Amino acid sequence: MTTTTVSLPSSAARHKPRRLEGNGEKTLLEQISDPAFLQQAWSVLNRRNRSSHGLDQESVANFATRLPENIATVSTALRSGAFLFQPARATTIPKPGRSERRPLRIFNVRDRLVQKAILLCIEPYFPDIRNDVSFAFIREQSVARAINAVKRGPALGYKFILLADIKSFFEKIDRQKLRLAITSRLPDNTLDELITQAIETDIGNRSALSSEEQTLFPTGSTGVAQGSILSPFFSNVYMVGFDKFLIEHDHRVVRYADDLAVLAKTRHEAEQLHSTISDYLRRELGLEVYPLTGKKASRIAHLTGGFDFLGIRFEVRRKSWHLEPSPSKCREIFSEVRRWTSPNNAWPLLDRLVILSRKFEGWMRCYRRVCSTRVFVQQLDELLTDRVHELLRTRGLIGKDVILTRVQRRFLGIQKSVRSPKRTIFLPEGLHGVRT
C-alpha cells in the first residue's frame, strides 16, 4: 500500500512551537484558526441533520445562517487561546433489534467545526493508519474492501477464520496512551491542549439522565466519546501498533474498528492466534477480546462453511462465494423500520419517511455493491408498505381494507427503498438525538 511519508520531530523539538514548511510558516494552531481553513472544514463537515444541536441549543441550520460571523468568532477564540471544548449533550438510542441502548454524545456545532479542522490538520502525520489490516474510518478503505480481503482467503490457502470482537472498545481506550500516541507525532505542541480536551470531554447533562443511562457514560481515565468527529481517528491511532504487529508477524487479519476476522490454515492455528492477539491487546493496550467460550464468544469457523462478518452472511455455493445481508442484520434493520412506523408515536408521517429514506440510502450504499440484495430489498419494501398502511389505518386516515395505489404511495413519499430520493432532514422536536 502506498503511503505519504511525513518527517517527525524529536520530542525535544516540540517544547517550542515550530513553523511548518509548506504551510505559510504557520504552526498547527495558526493553521486551524485560519478562517479559510475553518471554512474548508465546514465544507466537508456532515451537516445533513440540520436540526442537530448540542447543549447550547444552536442547531446546524442556525449556525449556518451566520456562518461568516461564527467562523470569525471561532477563529479569534482559537488564536487567543480562549477556545475550550464544551461538554457534550448525552443521549441514548435503542440498539436495533435489542433491548439495550447505545450512548451518544452530541457536541455543539462550533465544537464539531473545530474537531473537523483538527482532523484535517493532523491526519497527514499518521500515514501508517492506512495499512493492509485496518479497513474502518479510512478514506481509501471500506466495508467492500474488507469483505474482498476475507473472500481472498481460500485462494491463499486459508481454511479457517477466527471471528472476534474487542470488548467495549471505545470505552476502554486508555486516554493517556492515546494522547501521547498523537502528540508525540506532531511537529509542534500548539494543539496539545485542544487534543487533550477533545479526548477528555465529558457530558454536561448527566443529572438529566436516568440512573441506568448514566452507567452508559462512565467517568474515569479510559474511553473516548462516541459521537465525536475525532473518535474514529483516535481509535485507528490507538490501534496502529497492533496493526503493525500483525503485519510484521505475517498474520492475515481484517480489522474493522473492533471487529476482527483472522484467517488461519488450521483450527489449531486459529486457536493460537486468538491467544496471541488476546495477549498483545491486554499487555500493550489494556483491551480484551471475547474468549472462545461463553454466551458472547469469539468463534472459529470453516472459511467455506458459512459465517457472518460485518453484517454479511458468507457462504460458498457451487464452488463460488454467495453473500447476502446476515439474518441478524436483517432483524436489526426490520426492527428499525417497525420503530419508526410505530402507531404509538405522534411523529408526523413525513418526518418518519424522511428519516427512513436516509436509513434506506445508508443500508443500500453498504450492501448493494458487496452482496446480493434482491431478497433483502423485497422484504424491506413489503415491510415498509405494510407498516405504513397499518399506521394510516390506526389513525383513521384509510379504511380497514383500503390498499394505497402506486400513485398514492408515491404522493405520500412511500417509495421503494432502493429508489428513495435524498432529502434534507428536519427532525421533529424530541428527536434531535437520533442519528440518521
Side-chain angles (χ1 to χ4, degrees):
M1 182 178 293
T2 303
T3 56
T4 304
T5 301
V6 180
S7 58
L8 303 175
S10 65
S11 58
R14 301 186 69 257
H15 288 295
K16 293 182 179 180
R18 201 166 74 96
R19 301 289 173 172
L20 299 178
E21 297 180 5
N23 285 301
E25 296 299 314
K26 291 181 179 180
T27 64
L28 296 175
L29 179 60
E30 289 169 342
Q31 186 177 348
I32 71 161
S33 60
D34 187 322
F37 195 83
L38 289 169
Q39 179 65 56
Q40 178 188 350
W42 176 261
S43 70
V44 294
L45 186 66
N46 182 358
R47 309 190 302 276
R48 195 166 58 185
N49 186 349
R50 292 173 56 80
S51 64
S52 174
H53 63 85
L55 284 176
D56 65 359
Q57 301 298 316
E58 183 170 38
S59 68
V60 172
N62 289 338
F63 190 92
T65 60
R66 302 184 305 278
L67 186 60
E69 175 187 345
N70 284 328
I71 284 181
T73 300
V74 171
S75 173
T76 300
L78 285 168
R79 286 173 170 171
S80 67
F83 184 92
L84 297 173
F85 284 114
Q86 299 303 306
R89 178 169 67 90
T91 188
T92 63
I93 61 173
K95 289 186 177 181
R98 301 186 227 172
S99 59
E100 308 105 283
R101 298 185 69 84
R102 176 179 290 118
L104 289 179
R105 294 168 175 85
I106 304 174
F107 293 83
N108 293 341
V109 179
R110 66 164 206 146
D111 290 359
R112 297 181 222 175
L113 174 61
V114 175
Q115 289 172 1
K116 191 67 173 183
I118 290 173
L119 179 62
L120 293 177
C121 180
I122 70 175
E123 194 174 27
Y125 294 95
F126 297 85
D128 46 358
I129 66 174
R130 295 171 173 81
N131 57 61
D132 294 332
V133 169
S134 179
F135 290 83
F137 317 131
I138 297 172
R139 197 173 296 112
E140 294 84 357
Q141 300 286 44
S142 63
V143 170
R145 291 193 175 190
I147 289 169
N148 287 333
V150 172
K151 287 168 63 179
R152 286 193 290 270
L156 298 173
Y158 295 98
K159 298 184 182 299
F160 289 86
I161 185 166
L162 164 67
L163 302 165
D165 293 347
I166 300 174
K167 292 182 182 179
S168 305
F169 174 48
F170 284 93
E171 293 85 351
K172 295 297 184 181
I173 290 176
D174 186 301
R175 294 176 181 173
Q176 179 69 1
K177 287 183 178 180
L178 174 63
R179 186 185 70 81
L180 291 174
I182 295 171
T183 58
S184 64
R185 300 278 291 272
L186 300 179
D188 67 51
N189 59 8
T190 58
L191 289 185
D192 287 12
E193 178 57 31
L194 282 175
I195 289 170
T196 299
Q197 287 182 37
I199 292 172
E200 298 179 352
T201 299
D202 198 4
I203 59 175
N205 61 331
R206 186 176 296 275
S207 60
L209 302 175
S210 68
S211 56
E212 183 179 352
E213 287 177 319
Q214 289 183 22
T215 62
L216 300 176
F217 299 92
T219 58
S221 61
T222 62
V224 295
Q226 292 190 66
S228 165
I229 288 168
L230 286 165
S231 59
F233 169 74
F234 286 163
S235 70
N236 276 332
V237 172
Y238 195 70
M239 296 295 286
V240 75
F242 175 63
D243 297 342
K244 289 180 178 178
F245 168 78
L246 297 172
I247 293 169
E248 289 169 359
H249 290 79
D250 200 27
H251 298 318
R252 193 83 179 185
V253 179
V254 174
R255 183 178 69 80
Y256 199 91
D258 55 348
D259 290 325
L260 305 175
V262 185
L263 302 181
K265 295 184 177 180
T266 65
R267 179 175 290 275
H268 178 66
E269 182 186 3
E271 293 170 350
Q272 288 183 318
L273 285 170
H274 180 274
S275 177
T276 299
I277 287 170
S278 298
D279 290 345
Y280 181 95
L281 290 175
R282 187 183 305 109
R283 181 181 68 252
E284 301 294 333
L285 299 175
L287 300 173
E288 291 184 73
V289 295
Y290 285 96
L292 288 171
T293 57
K295 186 175 181 181
K296 190 171 183 180
S298 299
R299 178 178 172 234
I300 297 174
H302 198 284
L303 195 52
T304 59
F307 59 90
D308 296 347
F309 181 59
L310 300 181
I312 301 292
R313 180 66 178 174
F314 290 72
E315 292 181 353
V316 172
R317 298 180 183 176
R318 297 179 181 176
K319 299 183 179 180
S320 63
W321 283 109
H322 175 82
L323 276 63
E324 60 186 16
S326 68
S328 61
K329 180 56 67 174
C330 288
R331 286 193 295 271
E332 288 184 9
I333 292 173
F334 297 159
S335 176
E336 275 288 275
V337 173
R338 293 187 183 95
R339 182 169 79 92
W340 285 104
T341 54
S342 170
N344 298 324
N345 298 314
W347 306 326
L349 177 62
L350 178 60
D351 292 312
R352 301 176 193 231
L353 294 175
V354 167
I355 291 165
L356 284 172
S357 173
R358 287 295 192 192
K359 290 183 178 293
F360 289 154
E361 179 191 339
W363 293 330
M364 294 312 301
R365 186 170 56 245
C366 177
Y367 292 119
R368 182 186 290 146
R369 295 177 182 173
V370 298
C371 67
S372 171
T373 58
R374 183 180 58 83
V375 175
F376 168 71
V377 167
Q378 182 180 349
Q379 292 174 338
L380 193 58
D381 288 336
E382 289 175 354
L383 175 63
L384 176 62
T385 300
D386 290 345
R387 293 289 296 181
V388 171
H389 275 86
E390 181 182 346
L391 177 61
L392 294 176
R393 291 183 187 117
T394 302
R395 296 300 171 86
L397 297 175
I398 63 174
K400 181 178 179 181
D401 299 321
V402 172
I403 301 296
L404 297 176
T405 67
R406 185 172 59 181
V407 173
Q408 289 171 327
R409 291 199 302 271
R410 187 182 301 121
F411 175 76
L412 290 174
I414 310 168
Q415 302 188 31
K416 284 186 176 293
S417 57
V418 292
R419 298 176 189 150
S420 297
K422 294 182 179 180
R423 304 182 179 98
T424 301
I425 290 183
F426 287 90
L427 292 177
E429 188 63 32
L431 297 182
H432 301 298
V434 178
R435 266 187 185 169
T436 59

